[in-house]
Amino acid sequence: MNDLWVFGYGSLLWDPGFPVAETRVARLLDWHRSFCMSSIHHRGTPEAPGLVLALDFKPGAVCHGIAFRVAAPHADDTLAYLRERELISSAYLETRQRVVFADGGAQEDVLTYVIDPAHEQYCTLTLEEQAQIIARAVGGRGPNDAYLKNTALHLHELGLPDPDLDWLVARVRALQSG
């Protein structure tokens, strides 16, 4: 197998879980980062679902994130790991997309997990509805608010703040403080 490129836009930003040979700030066109996936495993339970980020198709949208290059000797193991992690349910679709690097150039055939809008875990909620869920949900990988805060923090560290995530962080903090 050749080197593997993976696009990270959520928890992969701060917890890739695989050996990374190179990172590049990148953008994915016609997709946007959204808490549009009900989480019944990692950040919630079947009885009290949380929310996780997914890429939702939207013509004209842009999602900023990181393109991770995995060296060829680690590509097969990384792909197996990501399939186990990201395809725990069939709500994500494993796709290959083209990303554009912030410093110029582009990369084809980048592994990218996107939401299946026909899946029962797909949801469209207002930011307030998202905040209400994120403030209380907990799943197998921890509290939903930690996922939100870590993602927002890492986007800021990369110089790629997401205004919706920043609003959610502030609103969740307010909800939790009573």
Side-chain angles (χ1 to χ4, degrees), residues 10 16 19-20 33 38 49 58 83 89 121 126 132 137-138 145 156 174:
V20 176
R33 176 183 13 254
S38 177
K58 181 179 178 186
R83 286 177 172 163
S89 72
Q121 286 176 254
T126 66
Q132 294 288 334
V138 178
D145 67 324
H156 273 276

Side-chain angles (χ1 to χ4, degrees), residues 73-90:
H74 303 288
D76 287 335
D77 288 343
T78 297
L79 185 57
Y81 164 76
L82 287 170
R83 286 177 172 163
E84 182 177 327
R85 173 179 168 168
E86 302 297 331
L87 302 178
I88 192 167
S89 72
S90 54

Side-chain angles (χ1 to χ4, degrees), residues 99-157:
V99 300
V100 179
F101 297 127
D103 58 2
Q107 179 67 42
E108 305 291 335
D109 197 36
V110 176
L111 181 67
T112 307
Y113 291 96
V114 303
I115 191 71
D116 177 356
H119 195 275
E120 64 187 11
Q121 286 176 254
Y122 177 72
C123 56
T124 55
L125 303 168
T126 66
L127 287 175
E128 179 61 30
E129 291 168 326
Q130 293 171 34
Q132 294 288 334
I133 293 168
I134 292 168
R136 61 169 171 68
V138 178
R141 294 193 76 183
N144 210 165
D145 67 324
Y147 172 90
L148 164 65
K149 291 173 189 172
N150 279 327
T151 304
L153 174 67
H154 281 78
L155 286 168
H156 273 276
E157 289 173 353

Side-chain angles (χ1 to χ4, degrees), residues 16-32:
F18 52 84
V20 176
E22 177 184 3
T23 61
R24 296 184 72 180
V25 173
R27 66 186 183 277
L28 180 63
L29 305 177
D30 295 327
W31 296 88
H32 72 106

